[in-house]
Amino acid sequence: MTARPVPHSGAGVTQYLQLASILRHQIAHGELVSGQRLPTVLQLAGQYKVAGITVRQAYGLLKTEGLITSDRGRGTYVSAPAASMTANMHAAINDPRASDVRFEVLEQRYGVNLPEPLSRGAAADSSYKSYTFIRKIHVQDGEPFCLAEIYVASEIYQRFPEGSEQQHKIAYLLNEYSKSRMLKMQQTLTVAPADMVLAQALGCSFATPMAHMVRRISDASGHIAYAGLFWYRGDRFVLESEYPFELWLSYPGVAVPQTLG
C-alpha cells in the first residue's frame, strides 16, 4: 500500500489519531499481520510525512489497545491478529432473538415524547401518546459492541416482564408483547468517527470508525411503536440482508427505501 501524507487536520482529528487509525485499519484487514515488524519511528515519519512525536503518540495508543508491542533494541511488532467476526457476533447484531448478548442498562426514562428526528414519517394521529426511553450497551464475548438509545411505546413497554430489557433485545420484546402486529421496519445506516462519549462507552479509541443506525418499527396503522439510535464499533459490525433477486431487481425500495423519512 502506498503511504499518503497524513493531512494537517487543524481543529479536526489530530495527526497521531489519524495515523493510529491507518495502522489499526491495516492490522484489522490483515495488511499488517501478527508478529510483523513495524517501521522505526524515523521510517514511518518519513513515509507519512509527519513528525517523530506523531509516530510515537500513534504507537503509544496502539500499545494501550494491545495491537502492537515494542522492546528496546528489538523494534515494534504487531501483537494482535486481524479481528475475526464470529458466528455469535453475526447473530448478536442481526438476530433480534439472539440470546448470547448481555445488556447493561445505563438509563431509563418514562413518559417521554418521541424526538422529532425519529418521528418523521409517523402517522399524524399516532395512538402512542408517550414512550419509554432505554439507553444501554450491548456486550458479546465480554466486549461492548453497541450503544443503543431506544424509544418504545409506553403502553407496549408496560406489558414487558419486569427486568426483561436487561435480558432481551427490545425488538424481540416488542414482537412478543405488543397487541398490534408490526408491519414495517426501516433502517438508515451511516458511518462516522467515534467521539469521546462513544469511545468511552464502547472501549475504543477516539475517531474509531462507527456504524450509526437509525431504526424505526411501525404497526399496521403506520404508528411508530419503536425507534432507536444505535452506534456500533466498526471492527465489530456486520449487517446481513438477503432478498429474492427478482424482488430486489424489480423493487429496489426493499433494500433502499425511496423515502427514508
Side-chain angles (χ1 to χ4, degrees), residues 54 56 94 258:
T54 299
R56 283 190 286 271
N94 295 282
Q258 295 178 359

Side-chain angles (χ1 to χ4, degrees), residues 4 44 78 97 107 141 152 161-162 168 171 173 185 193 231 252:
R4 297 181 180 180
L44 203 62
V78 177
R97 301 159 300 179
E107 180 185 359
D141 289 341
V152 59
E162 185 176 356
H168 300 283
L173 296 170
M185 190 272 286
W231 292 269

